[in-house]
Amino acid sequence: MADVLPLVEARLRTALGEPDARAAVTFLGADRIEVLRFQEGDVVRYATLGMSAHPMTDPTAVVADPVRGPRAELVLSVRPGGADTGKVLRPLAVLAASPQVEGLVVAPGASLDVGDPLWPGAPFTSVLVAEPGGLVEDLELDEPLDPVRFLPLLPMTPNEAAWKRVHGAQALQERWLNHGTDLRDPSRTSVPLE
């Protein structure tokens, strides 16, 4: 079976260009997760590399399938300069390792919380996982492997995360859209929730 990660990195480079920085984090009991940084005009994108090495497994499954199951990587886009977003590398690696460490299946509509600010002074401790396909196309793999999906992450304030738990991901995204929220602003305030 071919190693998935070189194919994933090639797809990221095709979609986002050459990374200008990369960092690696290893957690006890999990494979190494890398985070690549891509500069594109007035946007910085951080993409994980390593989460898709193994399929995500339903935590209720009796036996983990080593071949079949959803595969994904995470992509976060922010505007540079307003905050020290470079410190988001470790929190992103934590989120990317969560399927291996905690048995999570990360899918669109899910909330992921790191418990601390995503970067120093950030008003966000969690992210909403958005639908893939817009920025980086899915990477089809040979059968029987599932494709790798590149899931955008949308930072949420604690109030937005609580509101999303009650009203759902779709309602929160509509509220952001209706208020013209700049989801790439690293220091934005919470969208009005009344």
Side-chain angles (χ1 to χ4, degrees), residues 46-59:
Y46 299 94
T48 62
L49 180 62
M51 182 177 171
S52 61
H54 305 286
M56 293 181 274
T57 305
D58 182 340

Side-chain angles (χ1 to χ4, degrees), residues 3 17 52 57-58 66 93 110 117 132 151 178 190:
D3 187 3
S52 61
T57 305
D58 182 340
L151 303 172
N178 292 339
S190 185

Side-chain angles (χ1 to χ4, degrees), residues 172-190:
L172 178 58
Q173 288 179 304
E174 287 172 9
R175 188 161 286 267
W176 282 335
L177 189 61
N178 292 339
H179 285 85
T181 305
D182 180 2
L183 296 173
R184 295 176 181 165
D185 180 351
S187 54
R188 72 172 180 85
T189 58
S190 185

Side-chain angles (χ1 to χ4, degrees), residues 1-9 49 52-53 71 139 141 145 148:
M1 189 109 18
D3 187 3
V4 172
L5 297 184
L7 302 173
V8 170
E9 184 168 354
L49 180 62
S52 61
R71 293 174 187 261
L139 173 64
L141 301 172
L145 304 179
V148 177

Side-chain angles (χ1 to χ4, degrees), residues 39-115:
Q39 291 275 159
E40 184 182 322
D42 67 340
V43 176
V44 178
R45 300 189 198 285
Y46 299 94
T48 62
L49 180 62
M51 182 177 171
S52 61
H54 305 286
M56 293 181 274
T57 305
D58 182 340
T60 62
V62 177
V63 178
D65 189 328
V67 176
R68 289 190 172 91
R71 293 174 187 261
E73 295 291 352
L74 308 175
V75 181
L76 174 71
S77 300
V78 294
R79 296 199 190 291
D84 188 9
T85 58
K87 298 283 197 307
V88 76
L89 302 175
R90 184 164 180 76
L92 268 182
V94 167
L95 295 177
S98 62
Q100 288 183 64
V101 176
E102 298 174 35
L104 294 178
V105 175
V106 178
S111 299
L112 302 174
D113 195 319
V114 294

Side-chain angles (χ1 to χ4, degrees), residues 148-163:
V148 177
R149 302 170 84 197
F150 297 87
L151 303 172
L153 300 180
L154 308 174
M156 293 188 294
T157 66
N159 287 343
E160 290 169 339
W163 196 87

